[in-house]
Amino acid sequence: MDFAGTASLIYLPIERIICSGLKMYVVESKGGAIACMLLALFFLGTWPAIMTLLERRGRLPQHTYLDYTMTNLLAAVIIALTFGEIGSSTPEKPNFIAQLSQDNWPSILFAMAGGVVLSLGNLSTQYAWAFVGLSVTEVITASITVVIGTTLNYFLDDKINRAQILFPGVGCFLIAVCLGSAVHSSNAADNKAKLKGAGYSPTSNGAITNEELRNLEKGSGIIEEAKAGTAEFLLELEKRRAIKVFGKSTIIGLSITFFAGVCFSLFSPAFNLATNDQWHTLKEGVPHLVVYTAFFYFSVSCFVIALILNITFLYLPVLDLPRSSFKAYINDWNGRGWALLAGLLCGFGNGLQFMGGQAAGYAAADAVQALPLVSTFWGVLLFGEYQKSSRRTYVLLFGMLFMFIVAVGVLMASSGHRK
């Protein structure tokens, strides 16, 4: 009896079972993709609130962003060394470390380009939050991202998402951004009336006079002592925050916001090209970048750009911020733990978005751009946004949030399945 042949017949099926059970973990089901999107939505809507909180407490944004970018990269490394290394490496789906030595530079460059524009977008919004507010900044940038980025991803993904569902969802985002603009206008008018009622004479753009600014700087008090939504609260906030906004035009903030939105609209399509090679830039036989490897390179470029720009801004600050130094940054422990947490939340949020997008289509994964739902919640809860506002502002705010809820549901319903 041929025991060797019999043993080999038994061994081969067992080997196939073991290898299939140990293959690298990749989200493939529609349900798993939606779970990734929902978790990413919470993470990506929370980290801006933490960054805004630190700026309002007086911490320099350059210091905060340097801390944030460290843990943002750490999150990508953790994802790559865990999910990217689970199971055995196969020629079609190599593990993270195995893929580092492969000739896949065209895809790497696409991933790194995505990291560059995301870093520029995140850095820009850090300043826009101070001028325009957390909620409105997130509404505008998210809507630009959906209108441009989702359309690009739809065609890059070979239309795997259902257009009859996807594009009505994009329309809901457009309605939401219109309502968001109306909320901002109504709330600015409310704040102007509050300041005027308190004896200040705000200009057409909501600023107050130079003489009143000098009187404000001589004042005293703690922001927590003023009730949220009052003129005193707005004035005390201006005294404590790192970025001074009184006396500056809101056009500056809106310009920064729109620039950030364009940057955000490009990073997801670039990542899509990195993982799926729709333009056939890889050599024949070279496997596509797996989502974990692409995310690693994406985060490395994001880290490098953030490091260069923020160290530069320490010595050459923008928007009238005080000059700092690398030594001052190292010694600034006020709020550092929160900044590090923000970096982790953003890093894991981006990773989960890409994991869901690789399974269900990156156009559907743009549903996470409903993150203003989460940011607005934190804005109201932590920063007193819209408190003591007019009934018109509340009606518009409710309409904006309702349209975002509809939009995220519709975009998730458009999910397809990548072959």
Side-chain angles (χ1 to χ4, degrees):
M1 185 175 181
D2 187 0
F3 287 102
T6 304
S8 64
L9 290 174
I10 297 172
Y11 173 73
L12 287 174
I14 294 175
E15 182 184 39
R16 290 193 188 99
I17 293 170
I18 292 174
C19 288
S20 65
L22 291 177
K23 68 179 181 179
M24 178 176 50
Y25 177 75
V26 178
V27 177
E28 296 178 340
S29 69
K30 183 175 178 179
I34 290 176
C36 286
M37 294 177 209
L38 289 173
L39 197 55
L41 175 62
F42 176 75
F43 287 170
L44 293 175
T46 299
W47 77 266
I50 296 175
M51 302 280 273
T52 302
L53 179 65
L54 295 176
E55 184 274 323
R56 287 181 170 222
R57 289 180 174 178
R59 193 168 199 248
L60 290 178
Q62 307 98 303
H63 293 187
T64 298
Y65 204 91
L66 283 170
D67 289 333
Y68 151 91
T69 199
M70 303 288 181
T71 47
N72 190 58
L73 176 62
L74 177 62
V77 173
I78 292 172
I79 289 174
L81 294 178
T82 52
F83 291 115
E85 283 295 306
I86 292 176
S88 58
S89 183
T90 65
E92 297 79 16
K93 290 187 181 295
N95 283 352
F96 166 66
I97 292 178
Q99 198 161 46
L100 292 178
S101 60
Q102 293 177 347
D103 185 13
N104 44 29
W105 274 104
S107 293
I108 290 173
L109 291 176
F110 278 123
M112 296 184 79
V116 169
V117 291
L118 177 66
S119 187
L120 292 174
N122 283 341
L123 182 59
S124 300
T125 54
Q126 184 174 225
Y127 295 94
W129 293 326
F131 286 93
V132 186
L134 177 62
S135 301
V136 174
T137 300
E138 297 302 307
V139 167
I140 294 175
T141 56
S143 298
I144 294 173
T145 301
V146 168
V147 172
I148 300 176
T150 300
T151 303
L152 292 175
N153 278 322
Y154 172 73
F155 290 103
L156 286 174
D157 281 338
D158 198 24
K159 305 177 183 179
I160 67 173
N161 301 99
R162 287 174 285 178
Q164 66 271 26
I165 299 178
L166 177 70
F167 287 106
V170 174
C172 290
F173 272 101
L174 281 174
I175 295 172
V177 75
C178 293
L179 290 171
S181 299
V183 170
H184 172 59
S185 176
S186 180
N187 193 54
D190 292 342
N191 289 340
K192 182 179 178 180
K194 292 173 189 175
L195 290 170
K196 190 173 182 179
Y200 293 91
S201 51
T203 62
S204 59
N205 66 359
I208 58 178
T209 66
N210 290 331
E211 181 63 30
E212 288 165 339
L213 278 172
R214 285 191 290 271
N215 292 337
L216 172 63
E217 292 299 325
K218 295 176 183 177
S220 61
I222 302 175
I223 191 170
E224 286 81 5
E225 294 178 357
K227 291 183 179 180
T230 62
E232 291 76 14
F233 180 88
L234 297 173
L235 296 172
E236 292 290 348
L237 172 61
E238 176 70 5
K239 287 183 355 182
R240 289 192 57 181
R241 71 186 321 158
I243 303 174
K244 306 299 182 183
V245 298
F246 282 2
K248 296 185 176 70
S249 171
T250 54
I251 295 176
I252 296 174
L254 288 173
S255 300
I256 297 171
T257 302
F258 278 100
F259 171 76
V262 172
C263 290
F264 288 149
S265 69
L266 298 176
F267 82 85
S268 181
F271 194 91
N272 194 347
L273 287 166
T275 54
N276 295 299
D277 192 35
Q278 291 94 335
W279 292 352
H280 307 292
T281 57
L282 292 174
K283 294 179 181 178
E284 187 176 352
V286 177
H288 295 173
L289 281 185
V290 297
V291 65
Y292 310 113
T293 310
F295 185 48
F296 171 76
Y297 286 116
F298 174 94
S299 299
V300 167
S301 65
C302 194
F303 170 80
V304 171
I305 292 297
L307 202 64
I308 293 172
L309 290 178
N310 280 282
I311 290 178
T312 301
F313 290 160
L314 288 175
Y315 298 93
L316 300 171
V318 294
L319 299 174
D320 299 325
L321 282 163
R323 192 172 183 272
S324 185
S325 66
F326 192 74
K327 181 179 179 181
Y329 157 68
I330 293 295
N331 293 326
D332 181 12
W333 287 90
N334 180 29
R336 172 158 288 161
W338 287 109
L340 296 173
L341 174 62
L344 285 175
L345 289 174
C346 184
F348 281 113
N350 285 330
L352 287 164
Q353 176 186 352
F354 294 143
M355 289 165 66
Q358 188 63 15
Y362 286 96
D366 284 337
V368 303
Q369 295 306 324
L371 58 91
L373 287 170
V374 181
S375 295
T376 300
F377 169 78
W378 290 122
V380 172
L381 185 67
L382 295 178
F383 311 133
E385 287 188 353
Y386 309 115
Q387 290 195 30
K388 299 185 182 299
S389 293
S390 64
R391 180 177 297 178
R392 179 174 182 270
T393 299
Y394 288 137
V395 171
L396 291 169
L397 178 64
F398 175 79
M400 180 191 76
L401 296 178
F402 176 76
M403 289 311 303
F404 263 100
I405 293 171
V406 173
V408 70
V410 172
L411 254 67
M412 286 186 176
S414 75
S415 298
H417 190 272
R418 194 181 304 279
K419 297 180 181 178

